[in-house]
Amino acid sequence: RSQVAPENGSIGGRICSPTTTAMGIEFMGKTIPTLTAANAIYDNGASIYGNWLFATAYAGEQGYVAYCDFYNGEMLKYALSQGFVIGCSTKLTQNGHLVLVVGYENGQYIVNDPNISGSSTSRTYYDEAYFNSRWVRSDFDNHGVAYVFQGDYSYGS
């Protein structure tokens, strides 16, 4: 899913967090238009679409277990091995960028990056060391911000 798709209009460059959240929700089974997620997640007080807690709270409102946490690379790989998908707040762009990590294999993270052309649907593969260098932060005790999408509320029951 592309945050810069024509239907997202002039806010396309600002909605990587809602796009990542909508992709996480879709992975769990419910399709929500990106603009619907963006409008629901928008933080009026800060005038941003990138409020981490608003994003995961919105997934909760849709009936899914999702939360914001701080993970390191080992925690990320473990969560992926359990079938979860993880939104990661990165420095893959100069201003910061949210992406959805959907898998890990052969030393690479498999990423759905919302900053793709509106017609592209390909996944991006990032070398583990490179991705971690753009995600894990020394000021967060060598952890990175993670939106953890686990599934619906019946998960594990």
Side-chain angles (χ1 to χ4, degrees):
R1 180 183 298 217
S2 173
Q3 71 187 64
V4 295
E7 63 268 18
N8 297 331
S10 63
I11 65 168
R14 299 177 54 207
I15 59 171
C16 59
S17 178
T19 307
T20 295
T21 301
M23 288 190 291
I25 292 169
E26 186 168 359
F27 184 87
M28 293 184 289
K30 184 175 186 180
T31 301
I32 294 173
T34 301
L35 281 179
T36 300
N39 289 329
I41 292 168
Y42 186 73
D43 181 342
N44 287 307
S47 300
I48 60 171
Y49 292 94
N51 184 309
W52 302 330
L53 299 178
F54 284 22
T56 54
Y58 179 67
E61 290 173 4
Q62 300 305 308
Y64 299 102
V65 176
Y67 55 91
C68 189
D69 205 342
F70 295 96
Y71 275 18
N72 61 30
E74 292 307 309
M75 295 164 76
L76 176 59
K77 289 187 282 188
Y78 178 77
L80 293 167
S81 77
Q82 299 305 299
F84 306 153
V85 293
I86 312 294
C88 291
S89 180
T90 71
K91 289 289 186 181
L92 290 167
T93 66
Q94 186 174 7
N95 295 323
H97 184 54
L98 262 289
V99 297
L100 187 69
V101 181
V102 299
Y104 178 85
E105 61 184 32
N106 301 322
Q108 295 185 316
Y109 291 111
I110 305 165
V111 175
N112 288 0
D113 187 341
N115 192 26
I116 57 173
S117 72
S119 62
S120 177
T121 58
S122 65
R123 289 191 164 148
T124 304
Y125 293 79
Y126 288 106
D127 174 76
E128 178 180 356
Y130 173 78
F131 184 85
N132 287 343
S133 75
R134 299 289 186 243
W135 169 58
V136 172
R137 296 175 45 173
S138 61
D139 58 332
F140 290 161
D141 194 27
N142 294 315
H143 288 70
V145 174
Y147 296 6
V148 182
F149 298 101
Q150 289 187 326
D152 66 29
Y153 284 118
S154 65
Y155 181 82
S157 60

